[in-house]
């Protein structure tokens, strides 16, 4: 199962979310960087607004690919107890990672908000979109931050998901919508033909296009809500 790129992944994911099309209470929330192109395609297809949630993974110092947890705006923090238990000085490692990633989180939040001011999410249903669900650390932080902003319901939506991470959300009562769940999950990028890293400039361009409604129509398509398909 391969997606051509994040645009293709977003279009396929949108098909699984057709029940949310055109609803006034729904907002798409993309996780920068890689989740924003995916989220933009979903927002266009469903005809609902797009917002973002800047989240940063907390990597173990010296082994940043190993997630201690993640942070999001509003002092949202989630930690991975299994990884913390393996460290000799877990609190020191967590403090160091937070100091490093908080600066980057603040930088991105300030830069991206120029192109996409915050939407009032109180009482809304947030479809939280990323380009894949691996450990789930950043997605858990995003959900926690959104709850603090007054979101009524969070739905995790990704093109590809690791079943262990998917179950961690469902065990917490959070719905997960996905296109593909491999039996053996190794990395999100393995399921894309083109998984080139998304840049800040590309995120800003996508946000501006969505806000201004200037997307190229050839990159858009429309999902017809189920009730209209039935002629109701």
């Amino acid at each position: 199962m391969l997606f051509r790129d994040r645009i293709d992944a977003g279009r396929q994911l949108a098909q699984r979310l057709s029940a949310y099309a055109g609803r006034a209470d729904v907002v798409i929330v993309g996780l920068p960087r890689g989740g924003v192109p995916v989220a933009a395609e979903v927002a266009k297809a469903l005809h609902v607004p797009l917002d973002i949630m800047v989240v940063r993974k907390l990597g173990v110092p010296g082994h940043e690919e190993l997630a201690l947890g993640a942070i999001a705006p509003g002092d949202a923090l989630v930690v991975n107890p299994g990884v913390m238990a393996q460290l000799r000085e877990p609190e020191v490692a967590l403090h160091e990672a937070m100091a490093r990633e908080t600066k980057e989180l603040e930088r991105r939040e300030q830069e991206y908000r120029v192109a996409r001011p915050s939407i009032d999410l109180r009482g809304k249903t947030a479809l939280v979109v990323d380009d894949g669900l691996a450990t789930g650390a950043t997605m858990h932080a995003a959900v926690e931050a959104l709850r603090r902003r007054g979101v009524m319901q969070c739905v995790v939506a990704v093109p590809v998901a690791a079943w262990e991470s998917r179950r961690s959300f469902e065990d917490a009562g959070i719905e997960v919508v996905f296109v593909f769940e491999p039996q053996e999950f190794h990395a999100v990028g393995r399921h894309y033909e083109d998984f080139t890293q998304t840049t800040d400039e590309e995120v800003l361009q996508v946000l501006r296009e969505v806000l201004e409604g200037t997307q190229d129509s050839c990159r858009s398509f429309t999902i017809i809500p189920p009730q209209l398909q039935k002629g109701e």
Side-chain angles (χ1 to χ4, degrees):
M1 175 66 183
L2 284 177
F3 304 105
R4 289 193 302 274
D5 52 24
R6 291 180 176 88
I7 292 174
D8 177 47
R11 291 174 175 176
Q12 292 193 45
L13 179 60
Q15 297 286 355
R16 303 298 177 96
L17 296 165
S18 61
Y20 296 95
R23 283 177 41 176
D25 64 326
V26 171
V27 174
I28 308 299
V29 179
L31 305 190
R33 295 179 176 126
V36 172
V38 182
E41 292 301 316
V42 175
K44 288 190 295 178
L46 302 187
H47 300 290
V48 294
L50 172 68
D51 200 353
I52 58 171
M53 174 58 67
V54 180
V55 186
R56 294 296 296 170
K57 182 179 74 173
L58 300 175
V60 175
H63 302 278
E64 279 71 20
E65 73 284 353
L66 189 60
L68 274 171
I71 56 173
D75 297 324
L77 167 68
V78 296
V79 297
N80 187 332
V83 175
M84 292 281 285
Q86 298 175 34
L87 302 179
R88 182 175 299 177
E89 297 180 312
E91 296 300 329
V92 173
L94 182 61
H95 178 76
E96 182 179 333
M98 288 184 64
R100 179 180 64 251
E101 296 301 338
T102 297
K103 292 180 180 180
E104 179 63 13
L105 182 137
E106 291 173 349
R107 182 195 70 80
R108 292 192 183 189
E109 178 74 5
Q110 183 177 12
E111 184 172 3
Y112 296 160
R113 286 303 176 191
V114 173
R116 172 67 271 183
S118 297
I119 296 175
D120 185 359
L121 298 176
R122 289 174 294 181
K124 300 288 188 179
T125 293
L127 307 185
V128 195
V129 177
D130 204 354
D131 52 16
L133 187 67
T135 67
T138 54
M139 184 63 77
H140 276 291
V143 168
E144 175 61 24
L146 288 167
R147 284 173 168 171
R148 295 187 183 196
R149 288 180 59 182
V151 166
M152 181 181 67
Q153 178 187 10
C154 286
V155 177
V156 172
V158 291
V160 58
W163 72 267
E164 300 97 328
S165 298
R166 186 257 306 166
R167 284 197 59 182
S168 73
F169 285 95
E170 293 178 346
D171 289 345
I174 300 170
E175 181 184 359
V176 179
V177 177
F178 59 91
V179 178
F180 182 58
E181 185 179 85
Q183 292 183 345
E184 295 185 5
F185 187 96
H186 298 288
V188 171
R190 292 189 63 174
H191 304 284
Y192 287 77
E193 293 179 6
D194 180 1
F195 198 64
T196 306
Q197 184 177 18
T198 305
T199 66
D200 284 337
E201 291 74 18
E202 288 170 334
V203 170
L204 290 169
Q205 181 64 23
V206 168
L207 295 177
R208 292 190 188 103
E209 288 178 347
V210 171
L211 187 61
E212 297 169 3
T214 58
Q215 271 93 345
D216 186 345
S217 61
C218 72
R219 290 177 51 191
S220 303
F221 68 102
T222 301
I223 287 181
I224 301 175
Q227 62 270 28
L228 295 183
Q229 295 178 21
K230 298 176 182 179
E232 297 178 3

